[in-house]
Amino acid sequence: MVVFISDISRLYSDRAGKMRKSVIRELLKVTQDPEIISFAGGLPNPRSFPIKELEGILDYVIENHGPVALQYGTTQGLPALRESIAERSHKDGIDATAENIVIMSGSQQALDTVGKIFLNPGDTAICGLPTYLGGINAFRSYEGNLQGIPLDEDGMRVDILEEKIKELLKNEITPKFIYTVPTFQNPAGVIMPESRRKELINIANEYDLVIVEDDPYGKLRYDSQPVKPIKAFDDEGRVIYMSTFSKILSPGFRLAWTIASPELTRKMIICKQALDLCTNTFTQFLAYEFMRRGSLDLHIMKICELYKPKRDIMMDAMKKYFPEGYTCYRPKGGMFAWPTLPEGIDTETMFLDSIKEKVAYVHGKAFHVNGGGDRSMRLNFSYSTNEQIEEGMSRLGNVIKKKLEKEKVIL
Ligand code: PMP
Ligand code: G9A
């Protein structure tokens, strides 16, 4: 390849200069090594993909909808798919029609769209401590300034949130939105109870703020009662809700949706026109047909049956193999456990030891916007086989024990 420009980076925008690699995406390359047991990526288990049923649906869509399914679609997305999603959302207490829905190329695109619509360089948005790394990266790529609010076992601490909002307003800073993953949070696994959801929406109403509710895991429930989305308590059109087919059907489809007020929906459609014109029409047809046949709920049940024992094996193995002194919330759904190790351990530096032992995780700092998370690690339990989980946790336990000895940590 011929290179004419010596330092192309001098031509970059300020925005591009500030873009950061995603630790998770980079780790996916390392963990391609089949000998590594990876608890790093938030990947669904490939056994959960309904390959046989999709074979039939594929033929059906080609035969019956080929000319439309292979064509460009509208930016807002396939009307029939939006209608099906609106119908499902009613069951969760969300009052939406197909008009409030935009089909996105993954919720990652929805997060990017939110950043693009709301954030000028230096604008403030609020998120959890910890929070989803892809959200951090999307908002930072618009040069957003993120303020983190600690979580407890019931999700974002709304008392601290309110204090933070007051402090910001006192300094004449209006936070543009509050980003939250209230159900089986990525990475901490916690679920916000209904009472706190109501407190959160009350705060947003009182201070006139937007909430971005990111809900990929709400249906992956193993032993908790269903809790309505925050959007279900939104009477003022201030919640942008997003969910995805990635964890309940296939991430390769790149299909997600937003539910928002008519004004915000219009804005997101205009934003998306410049991003990719429209979401993949073909996979929209496949997902719609899967839902039309009534297969989605049954399929979600099967996924939960597959993942619940994996959660149990991971939590039991943690008890068995991790040294004393760690703490870990037992996730009632979703795909992640989030142990915090004894004082004196840095999970970022321990990662190299762990890769030598052929086991991977994501270090806690990656999910923190204001520092912290040094002693935590995110462990995904959906992707690996049950045997790999047992073996990987045993390897990880040894890595931690050795690290404790090396650092001379007294428990
Ligand atoms: N938000 C959260 C909280 C996630 O965990 C993920 C995926 N891991 C996404 C958004 C992006 O999902 P999608 O595949 O729909 O882009
Ligand atoms: O592969 C990805 O980047 C999606 C998964 C996100 C995660 O690990 O949280």
Side-chain angles (χ1 to χ4, degrees):
M1 189 174 56
V2 184
V3 178
F4 295 104
I5 300 181
S6 57
D7 178 15
I8 194 137
S9 65
R10 76 198 149 81
L11 303 175
Y12 288 166
S13 66
D14 292 347
R15 196 181 331 110
K18 287 177 188 156
M19 286 173 187
R20 292 288 166 267
K21 290 194 269 204
S22 156
V23 176
I24 296 175
R25 292 264 109 208
E26 295 298 310
L27 274 181
L28 281 182
K29 292 185 237 161
V30 179
T31 54
Q32 295 300 307
D33 174 352
E35 282 186 19
I36 291 185
I37 296 178
S38 177
F39 301 136
L43 308 185
N45 194 294
R47 271 186 55 209
S48 76
F49 302 146
I51 291 175
K52 267 266 147 288
E53 189 168 0
L54 284 174
E55 255 176 41
I57 290 180
L58 212 72
D59 288 346
Y60 175 87
V61 166
I62 286 286
E63 262 173 44
N64 294 276
H65 303 287
V68 189
L70 297 173
Q71 187 56 279
Y72 285 116
T74 60
T75 302
Q76 188 165 4
L78 188 67
L81 178 62
R82 287 188 285 115
E83 270 155 33
S84 299
I85 291 171
E87 231 170 77
R88 280 180 75 78
S89 308
H90 291 161
K91 293 187 199 140
D92 294 331
I94 297 178
D95 177 22
T97 70
E99 286 311 302
N100 301 107
I101 292 172
V102 184
I103 307 296
M104 291 280 181
S105 302
S107 351
Q108 194 59 44
Q109 182 178 60
L111 292 171
D112 185 82
T113 304
V114 165
K116 198 168 189 176
I117 290 175
F118 287 101
L119 297 176
N120 286 319
D123 274 355
T124 295
I126 293 175
C127 63
L129 261 188
T131 194
Y132 172 52
L133 174 64
I136 299 177
N137 286 346
F139 305 144
R140 285 208 170 136
S141 73
Y142 293 99
E143 302 174 71
N145 164 28
L146 295 173
Q147 292 289 327
I149 304 294
L151 310 184
D152 62 16
E153 295 199 349
D154 289 338
M156 189 183 277
R157 287 272 307 270
V158 286
D159 52 336
I160 301 180
L161 169 71
E162 187 162 16
E163 285 312 306
K164 176 54 87 181
I165 293 169
K166 282 185 190 158
E167 180 195 314
L168 289 169
L169 291 176
K170 214 162 95 192
N171 293 318
E172 295 182 2
I173 297 169
T174 304
K176 289 292 185 77
F177 56 83
I178 302 164
Y179 171 60
T180 176
V181 186
T183 315
F184 313 130
Q185 204 243 15
N186 180 1
V190 294
I191 176 166
M192 186 184 279
E194 182 170 313
S195 54
R196 197 177 279 188
R197 290 174 191 231
K198 288 181 176 161
E199 286 177 64
L200 183 55
I201 192 85
N202 286 342
I203 290 174
N205 288 342
E206 184 174 341
Y207 295 93
D208 198 16
L209 301 173
V210 167
I211 294 177
V212 178
E213 179 178 21
D214 186 4
D215 184 24
Y217 305 105
K219 299 292 175 214
L220 304 185
R221 225 164 18 84
Y222 314 135
D223 36 32
S224 84
Q225 292 303 310
V227 182
K228 284 185 189 159
I230 299 170
K231 182 73 184 158
F233 307 109
D234 175 26
D235 302 325
E236 301 187 1
R238 61 178 67 254
V239 178
I240 301 174
Y241 175 88
M242 57 184 75
S243 187
T244 175
F245 285 102
S246 288
K247 310 294 154 70
I248 53 172
L249 184 54
S250 152
F253 274 23
R254 306 310 300 132
L255 276 191
W257 64 94
T258 53
I259 306 180
S261 68
E263 159 67 21
L264 278 169
T265 299
R266 264 194 301 278
K267 205 67 188 166
M268 284 192 289
I269 293 169
I270 295 170
C271 185
K272 187 174 158 63
Q273 286 171 352
L275 287 175
D276 62 355
L277 309 178
C278 67
T279 297
N280 185 326
T281 321
F282 192 59
T283 57
Q284 289 189 69
F285 267 90
L286 297 181
Y288 166 65
E289 188 53 27
F290 195 72
M291 289 169 91
R292 192 185 68 80
R293 295 179 184 203
S295 300
L296 189 58
D297 283 326
L298 191 67
H299 185 62
I300 290 171
M301 262 169 56
K302 284 192 201 152
I303 298 177
C304 292
E305 277 166 22
L306 180 67
Y307 291 176
K308 183 175 185 223
K310 292 185 185 295
R311 186 271 319 259
D312 293 339
I313 293 168
M314 179 168 275
M315 296 311 288
D316 290 349
M318 208 181 288
K319 233 185 241 157
K320 195 151 84 185
Y321 299 117
F322 277 27
E324 270 174 45
Y326 77 89
T327 55
C328 186
Y329 170 83
R330 185 181 179 81
K332 299 186 175 75
M335 300 191 345
F336 304 107
W338 175 252
T340 298
L341 303 178
E343 205 77 58
I345 284 214
D346 181 331
T347 52
E348 188 175 12
T349 56
M350 193 177 74
F351 185 73
L352 286 178
D353 306 337
S354 137
I355 284 296
K356 278 188 207 136
E357 297 299 322
K358 305 262 180 233
V359 57
Y361 58 83
V362 185
H363 64 77
K365 277 181 213 163
F367 303 93
H368 281 68
V369 292
N370 304 135
D374 323 30
R375 292 191 286 130
S376 300
M377 53 167 67
R378 193 192 72 175
L379 302 177
N380 164 273
F381 54 78
S382 58
Y383 177 70
S384 304
T385 63
N386 296 357
E387 295 70 30
Q388 285 170 327
I389 296 177
E390 182 77 26
E391 171 60 24
M393 291 301 280
S394 155
R395 291 182 196 174
L396 196 50
N398 285 332
V399 171
I400 299 169
K401 282 176 195 155
K402 278 191 203 152
K403 184 78 174 170
L404 284 172
E405 275 165 28
K406 205 162 111 194
E407 305 288 334
K408 304 211 179 343
V409 174
I410 301 161
L411 294 174

